[in-house]
Amino acid sequence: MNVTLKDGSVRQFSEGTSLQDIAVAVSPSLAKKALGAKVNGSIRDMSSTLDSDAVVEFLTFDDEEGMDIYRHTSAHILAQAVKRLYPDAKLAIGPAIENGFYYDFDIDHTFTPEDFDKIEEEMRQIVKEDLKIQRFELSRNEAIELMKSRNEPYKVELIEGLPDDATISFYRQGEFVDLCRGPHLPSTGYVKAIKLLSVAGAYWKGDEHNKMLQRIYGTSFDKKSKLDEYLNMLEEAKKRDHRKLGKELDLFSIQEEGPGFPFFHPKGMVIRNILEDFWRQEHAKRGYLEIKTPIILNEELWHRSGHWDHYKENMYFTKIDDQNYAIKPMNCPGAMLVYKTSMRSYRDLPLRLCELGLVHRHEKSGVLHGLMRVRCFTQDDAHIFMTPEQVKQEIIGVIDFVDYFYSIFGFEYTVELSTRPDDSMGTDEQWEAATSALVDAMNTKGIPYKVNEGDGAFYGPKLDFHLKDSIGRTWQCGTIQLDFQMPERFDLTYIGQDGEKHRPVMLHRVIYGSIERFIGILIEHYAGAFPLWLAPVQVRILPIADRHFEYAQKVSDDLKRIGVRVEVDMRNEKIGYKIREAQLQKIPYMLIIGDKEVENGTISVRSRKEGDMGSLVLDEFESRLKDEIDKKI
C-alpha cells in the first residue's frame, strides 16, 4: 500500500503495518516523538494498523492534536491514580482542555490541594510503570456489563446515551479501564512532566439539576522546563488578576446586587472613556458613521433576524403594553433597521455604521468572571453594507484597522478562520462564497491562519483575532463575520448602476470585542501599570511638608491646563511613605516638591519605569509628557 507523508513523499508498506512501524521506517527520531497520527484527516493511535493507501501526518507535542493526545492520556493517569488511592471513587469524564486536562469524580472524600501531593506521587508511579495502553471495542451489552461490574454508573449512563450505530471503545492501562474514544499515547511512560493545579465543583453533564461532582484540573508537558515555565506564568497571572488589581486600583467592582453587571468607578471610567474616544476618532478617520440603537426591541425583530431560533436561551425578556419585547443580545438587527430608513444607491456603498452598543446576555452564575465574563457589556460593533465587488477590499480594510489598533497596545495576534456550524442558516453556495472571500482577503494580506471547522456564526463564517498578552496568554477579541443571510431576512436592497434593486452583502466586526473585557485584558497585560496615555492618574505630586503645598498646587494647575491628569498628595505623611503609595497605585510619574524645588522653581521627577530622573524645569517635563501621550508610547 502507498503511504503519502506530510512532505508529499510516498512510501510503500505491507497491508496491516502499524503507524508505529511506519514512523520507525521513516525516521527513528520521529518514531520517538510521535504521539499519534492523522490518517486521511482522522486522528489515530500509533498502534493502529493500515490496510489501504493513506495520507499520514505524524503528530508530536508541538502539534495541537498531539498535545491533546498527551494530555488526554494524562487525564487517564490521574483517574487511575485516584482509583488506586480511593477505590470507591466513581469516574465521570476526563478530557484534554486548553493548557491541560481535568477529570470529574463522584466521591465522598472532599479533595483539597493537600491531597495533590499524594495523587501526584501515585501518578508518577504509574508513569514509571510504563503501562502499555491498549484499545478494545465491545458491543453495547458487553460494554454496559463491564462498567456495571466495575461499579461505574456514570459510564453506564454514557453508553446508554450513545447512538445505536456507535462504536464503543475502551482503553486499558494495567488494571485501569476507561470508556473512551481515544486516541491515546502508546504507554503511560511517555508522560514526562505532570502537575495538578486545582479542584472545583462541576455538575454532571453541566446540568445544575444533576449531582455536583469534583473536578481536578491538571497540566502536563513533554519537558520539565516547559512545565516550570507554565507554572511561573500561572504565578505571574495571579499577581495580574484583573479582579484583584481592579479593587486595589479602584477601577471597578461587582456588587452582590448585580452579579455579572460591573460597576465602573471614576478611575475605571477614565480608562473606558479614553478607549471609547480613541475608538471614535479612528473610526471617523476611516469613514465610519456612528449610530445608537435601543436596548429593548420587539420580540418579532429577533424572530426575523434568526436570533430567536439560535440564541433565545441567552436572552432577557420583558412586556410593554401587553406585547413581548427582548433586551438585545446583539446590535446587528438595530443596524438593519437604520439601513432600511432610506433608499440606498450603489453610490452610498460601502456604508460603514458603527456603534458602541450595550448588550445583555444571560450567563449562568458559575461562568461569571470579573470583567471577562459578564451579563452586560458594550460591543464596539460595526456593520458594513457593500456591493459584492467591494467585499474583498472592505475585509482587507478591517484587517488593517484591527492590526493598527492592536499594535497601539503592544499586542501580537494570530487569526482563526471559523467555518459553517451545524446550526446555521443559508445555502451551501452562500457559505462557500462567504468563506472564499475571507480566505482570499487573508491570502492577499499574506497572513497565516488556522481553520477552526464548524465554529462560525449561525449566519456566516468569520475571522477571529486572538491577542497574545505580555505573559504569553491568548485572548479572542476582534472578529470579522461575512453575512449573506441578514440582508436577505431584512430585505435590504440598494439601487445598482442598472437601475434595478440588488441585495447588499454585510460585514459584522468588532475590534475590542467588548469594552469591559478589553479593559480586563489590559489590566492583566500591563499588570495595572498602564502606559501614560491610559493611566487614570498620570502624575502625582508629593510635597514634603506643609510649606510646599502652595507651590505643589501651582504645578498641579499648570499640568491640568495642558490636559494632564494629576493629583496632589497633601497627607501629613513622610515622603518615603507617599512614594511607596504612589508606586503601589502604579502612577507613571511622581513629582517630589521640597525647599530646593520651591526655591529654584523646578520639580524633582521620579518615573515608575526609570526611577529617579533628577531635577527638571516644568516646561521640559510638560514637553516630555505631551510627546509620550501624543505618541501613545
Side-chain angles (χ1 to χ4, degrees):
M1 61 184 180
N2 292 321
V3 173
T4 304
L5 300 172
K6 186 178 180 180
D7 63 2
S9 63
V10 179
R11 303 282 290 269
Q12 291 192 322
F13 296 92
S14 302
E15 290 181 13
T17 304
S18 71
L19 288 167
Q20 184 67 40
D21 289 339
I22 292 172
V24 170
V26 171
S27 163
S29 63
L30 172 65
K32 286 181 181 177
K33 292 192 295 182
L35 308 177
K38 272 187 189 174
V39 178
N40 298 328
S42 176
I43 301 175
R44 305 261 289 273
D45 301 301
M46 291 298 288
S47 60
S48 299
T49 57
L50 301 185
D51 53 15
S52 61
D53 293 353
V55 177
V56 174
E57 178 187 344
F58 289 102
L59 302 170
T60 70
F61 194 83
D62 294 330
D63 301 299
E64 191 172 326
E65 299 97 330
M67 196 184 295
D68 283 348
I69 295 170
Y70 193 95
R71 288 172 170 165
H72 194 174
T73 297
S74 302
H76 278 216
I77 293 171
L78 165 60
Q80 184 174 11
V82 168
K83 288 292 283 186
R84 284 184 177 183
L85 295 168
Y86 308 93
D88 292 336
K90 294 176 177 57
L91 304 175
I93 59 170
I97 56 173
E98 186 179 5
N99 297 323
F101 59 87
Y102 69 77
Y103 213 107
D104 290 346
F105 302 95
D106 183 359
I107 182 173
D108 289 336
H109 174 79
T110 301
F111 290 122
T112 65
E114 287 70 40
D115 294 316
F116 286 0
D117 287 344
K118 182 169 62 171
I119 298 171
E120 281 178 7
E121 184 57 41
E122 193 61 46
M123 292 172 75
R124 283 191 285 272
Q125 178 60 34
I126 292 166
V127 170
K128 188 177 177 182
E129 291 170 20
D130 195 20
L131 302 171
K132 188 175 181 182
I133 301 175
Q134 299 168 300
R135 185 180 194 273
F136 63 94
E137 296 175 7
L138 294 176
S139 68
R140 184 181 297 270
N141 288 339
E142 289 171 329
I144 289 172
E145 283 308 308
L146 175 63
M147 289 296 99
K148 281 183 176 178
S149 72
R150 299 177 76 92
N151 194 23
E152 298 290 359
Y154 295 98
K155 302 295 182 180
V156 171
E157 185 178 335
L158 289 172
I159 295 166
E160 289 174 341
L162 292 172
D164 293 340
D165 60 350
T167 298
I168 303 174
S169 60
F170 294 83
Y171 280 81
R172 183 191 304 278
Q173 54 197 53
E175 81 288 356
F176 179 77
V177 175
D178 202 355
L179 171 73
C180 190
R181 283 197 306 256
H184 280 282
L185 300 175
S187 74
T188 59
Y190 273 66
V191 177
K192 303 301 180 191
I194 198 162
K195 181 71 178 173
L196 300 184
L197 301 172
S198 61
V199 61
Y203 292 109
W204 169 236
K205 293 184 175 178
D207 186 337
E208 60 196 28
H209 299 102
N210 289 337
K211 186 168 184 179
M212 174 74 80
L213 307 177
Q214 293 184 73
R215 175 172 294 176
I216 296 179
Y217 288 94
T219 192
S220 57
F221 290 85
D222 61 337
K223 292 179 182 174
K224 185 177 182 300
S225 60
K226 290 183 183 178
L227 174 62
D228 291 342
E229 188 180 318
Y230 179 72
L231 295 177
N232 288 335
M233 186 274 287
L234 289 183
E235 282 304 309
E236 183 63 27
K238 282 181 189 175
K239 297 177 198 169
R240 293 167 177 261
D241 189 317
H242 75 285
R243 295 167 298 178
K244 171 176 167 286
L245 289 171
K247 185 176 181 180
E248 290 173 1
L249 302 177
D250 197 22
L251 302 176
F252 73 93
S253 60
I254 306 290
Q255 306 288 342
E256 288 182 12
E257 292 82 354
F261 299 96
F263 288 68
F264 278 87
H265 299 193
K267 288 180 179 176
M269 281 304 297
V270 170
I271 298 169
R272 185 182 182 114
N273 286 334
I274 292 168
L275 292 175
E276 292 186 0
D277 290 346
F278 175 59
W279 183 90
R280 285 192 168 96
Q281 290 160 11
E282 295 302 326
H283 280 73
K285 288 178 188 175
R286 291 162 178 81
Y288 285 80
L289 305 173
E290 187 174 0
I291 61 172
K292 194 78 175 170
T293 62
I295 292 174
I296 300 175
L297 292 164
N298 194 284
E299 185 184 291
E300 181 278 329
L301 178 72
W302 306 101
H303 287 275
R304 206 188 325 165
S305 69
H307 288 94
W308 185 265
D309 295 327
H310 299 269
Y311 214 77
K312 66 175 179 287
E313 299 303 319
N314 293 86
M315 294 171 66
Y316 295 113
F317 303 96
T318 188
K319 260 193 180 333
I320 302 174
D321 296 335
D322 293 328
Q323 289 197 38
N324 293 325
Y325 282 74
I327 301 171
K328 69 176 178 180
M330 312 268 187
N331 296 304
C332 22
M336 309 289 141
L337 298 183
V338 171
Y339 182 95
K340 283 179 71 76
T341 56
S342 300
M343 177 65 75
R344 309 288 178 178
S345 157
Y346 71 94
R347 292 188 181 90
D348 301 321
L349 306 183
L351 177 64
R352 306 183 186 105
L353 300 180
C354 63
E355 176 176 16
L356 290 168
L358 179 63
V359 299
H360 289 72
R361 297 180 186 177
H362 178 58
E363 299 282 5
K364 291 183 178 177
S365 57
V367 302
L368 298 175
H369 181 79
L371 297 178
M372 304 301 193
R373 195 74 177 263
V374 291
R375 287 172 169 155
C376 74
F377 55 94
T378 301
Q379 284 187 308
D380 64 313
D381 248 325
H383 298 91
I384 303 174
F385 304 90
M386 57 208 160
T387 68
E389 297 76 27
Q390 294 168 334
V391 169
K392 180 178 176 181
Q393 202 52 45
E394 286 303 304
I395 295 171
I396 289 172
V398 175
I399 292 170
D400 289 341
F401 198 3
V402 170
D403 181 78
Y404 169 74
F405 250 71
Y406 293 164
S407 68
I408 292 293
F409 299 97
F411 287 121
E412 297 175 10
Y413 62 87
T414 57
V415 185
E416 286 187 8
L417 169 67
S418 296
T419 58
R420 186 175 191 173
D422 294 333
D423 182 21
S424 60
M425 307 186 298
T427 65
D428 291 342
E429 291 77 18
Q430 288 172 324
W431 276 85
E432 177 59 37
T435 306
S436 296
L438 292 175
V439 169
D440 189 22
M442 290 294 284
N443 289 341
T444 299
K445 290 296 298 177
I447 298 174
Y449 61 90
K450 175 186 155 191
V451 177
N452 195 0
E453 295 287 356
D455 202 40
F458 67 84
Y459 46 75
K462 59 178 181 167
L463 295 173
D464 287 327
F465 293 79
H466 296 259
L467 308 187
K468 185 176 180 181
D469 72 11
S470 59
I471 59 172
R473 297 169 302 177
T474 57
W475 308 88
Q476 196 269 303
C477 289
T479 187
I480 303 172
Q481 302 170 351
L482 190 54
D483 184 1
F484 288 84
Q485 308 306 318
M486 286 210 190
E488 206 166 279
R489 292 178 81 95
F490 281 84
D491 192 27
L492 303 188
T493 60
Y494 66 92
I495 304 301
Q497 286 180 280
D498 57 2
E500 300 296 321
K501 284 186 176 181
H502 298 270
R503 187 81 67 207
V505 182
M506 179 178 165
L507 268 181
H508 309 243
R509 52 110 288 210
V510 292
I511 299 178
Y512 290 140
S514 117
I515 299 289
E516 291 76 4
R517 187 165 177 270
F518 198 78
I519 290 172
I521 293 167
L522 287 181
I523 292 170
E524 299 199 1
H525 177 55
Y526 295 127
F530 294 99
L532 184 66
W533 72 282
L534 272 176
V537 178
Q538 295 168 317
V539 176
R540 183 176 285 180
I541 302 173
L542 311 177
I544 293 173
D546 292 3
R547 64 182 177 274
H548 308 130
F549 284 178
E550 185 180 345
Y551 181 64
Q553 193 60 56
K554 177 184 179 301
V555 172
S556 171
D557 292 342
D558 286 348
L559 290 173
K560 284 178 180 176
R561 268 193 290 274
I562 64 166
V564 174
R565 296 183 290 278
V566 60
E567 290 179 347
V568 182
D569 187 347
M570 292 188 175
R571 293 177 299 169
N572 186 23
E573 300 285 357
K574 291 183 178 178
I575 192 65
Y577 179 84
K578 289 183 178 183
I579 290 170
R580 284 193 299 276
E581 283 279 293
Q583 287 172 331
L584 287 173
Q585 287 295 302
K586 304 180 188 291
I587 309 292
Y589 288 101
M590 291 158 265
L591 305 186
I592 298 160
I593 305 292
D595 290 338
K596 186 174 70 173
E597 286 74 28
V598 172
E599 184 181 339
N600 297 331
T602 59
I603 50 176
S604 181
V605 181
R606 185 178 182 86
S607 163
R608 183 182 65 202
K609 288 189 295 183
E610 300 169 39
D612 188 4
M613 294 173 59
S615 183
L616 296 175
V617 296
L618 188 58
D619 286 351
E620 187 181 351
F621 179 62
E622 287 178 352
S623 176
R624 178 189 176 104
L625 289 180
K626 282 182 64 65
D627 185 61
E628 200 173 326
I629 292 167
D630 291 346
K631 291 179 180 176
K632 296 182 171 59
I633 292 170

